[in-house]
C-alpha cells in the first residue's frame, strides 16, 4: 500500500494521475497547503522540504518501507516499481527522462511563476508578468514544435506526458492557445485517458 500526501495542484496531480495509470493501491492524505499543513511536524517527517507531493511505500525495495518526495523522483520510482510508462531500452528511457526534466526545470517553475504573478499576486508587477509570459510562451512553442511530428513527448505515452499535462492544462485555461495547435491536440489525447480523468480528481478540491 502506498500513502500519498498531496493537494490538487499541478505538481500534486501528476502523482495521482501516475498512481491511477499504474494501478497500484494507495491511500490519499490531503495536505491543505492553504492552511499551512505542509509545515506541520507530521508532514515534515515525510518531506523535510515541506512541499507536496510525497509518498510512503510500505513495500519498497527489499520489502522495506521507503519515502519518496519530489514529484519527478516519485514518477521515476513508480515507473520502475511497476515497469510502466518508462522505456527500458536506453534510447527510449533517456528520451522520456529528458522531457521529464524539461518539465521539472522549465515548465513547472516558469508556469508556476506565471500563474502567481498573473493570477494570485496581490499587486500587478508588469516586469514579472512580461518576463514569465514570454518564457511560458517560449516553452509552449518548444512543445508545439516537438509535438508536430509525434503523439506524445517521448514518442510513446510516458511519465514525461504525466508530468507536463496538468501544468500545460492550467495555462490553456487562461486562453490564448491558438498558436499551439499541436499542444492543444496533445492535451486532448492525454486528457481522454480514463486514468488521467480519475487522477485529476485526487485529492478532491476543498
Amino acid at each position: 500500500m502506498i500513502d500519498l500526501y498531496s493537494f490538487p495542484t499541478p505538481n500534486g496531480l501528476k502523482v495521482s494521475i501516475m498512481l491511477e495509470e499504474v494501478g497500484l493501491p494507495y491511500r490519499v492524505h490531503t495536505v491543505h497547503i492553504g492552511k499551512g499543513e505542509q509545515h506541520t511536524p507530521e508532514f515534515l517527517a515525510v518531506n523535510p522540504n515541506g512541499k507536496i507531493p510525497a509518498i510512503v511505500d510500505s513495500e519498497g525495495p527489499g520489502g522495506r518501507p521507503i519515502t519518496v518526495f519530489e514529484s519527478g523522483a516519485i514518477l521515476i520510482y513508480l515507473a520502475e516499481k511497476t515497469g510502466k510508462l518508462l522505456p527500458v531500452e536506453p534510447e527510449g528511457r533517456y528520451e522520456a527522462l529528458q522531457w521529464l526534466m524539461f518539465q521539472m526545470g522549465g515548465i513547472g517553475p516558469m508556469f508556476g511563476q506565471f500563474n502567481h504573478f498573473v493570477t494570485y499576486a496581490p499587486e500587478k508587477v508588469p516586469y514579472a508578468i512580461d518576463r514569465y509570459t514570454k518564457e511560458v510562451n517560449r516553452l509552449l512553442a518548444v512543445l508545439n514544435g516537438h509535438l508536430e511530428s509525434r503523439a506524445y513527448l517521448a514518442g510513446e505515452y510516458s511519465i514525461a506526458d504525466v508530468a507536463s499535462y496538468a501544468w500545460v492544462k492550467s495555462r490553456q485555461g487562461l486562453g490564448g492557445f491558438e498558436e499551439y495547435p499541436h499542444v492543444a491536440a496533445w492535451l486532448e489525447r492525454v486528457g481522454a485517458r480514463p486514468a488521467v480523468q480519475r487522477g485529476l480528481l485526487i485529492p478532491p478540491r476543498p
Side-chain angles (χ1 to χ4, degrees), residues 33 45 56 59 82 88 110 130 142 146 165 175 206:
I33 60 177
V56 178
E59 297 182 1
T82 60
V88 175
M110 296 300 105
D130 181 65
V142 173
H146 183 67
Y165 175 76

Side-chain angles (χ1 to χ4, degrees), residues 15 52 78 84 95 116 148 152 178:
V15 176
I52 61 95
L78 294 174
K84 297 179 179 179
E95 179 77 2
H116 173 77
E148 184 175 4
Y152 300 104
E178 297 78 9

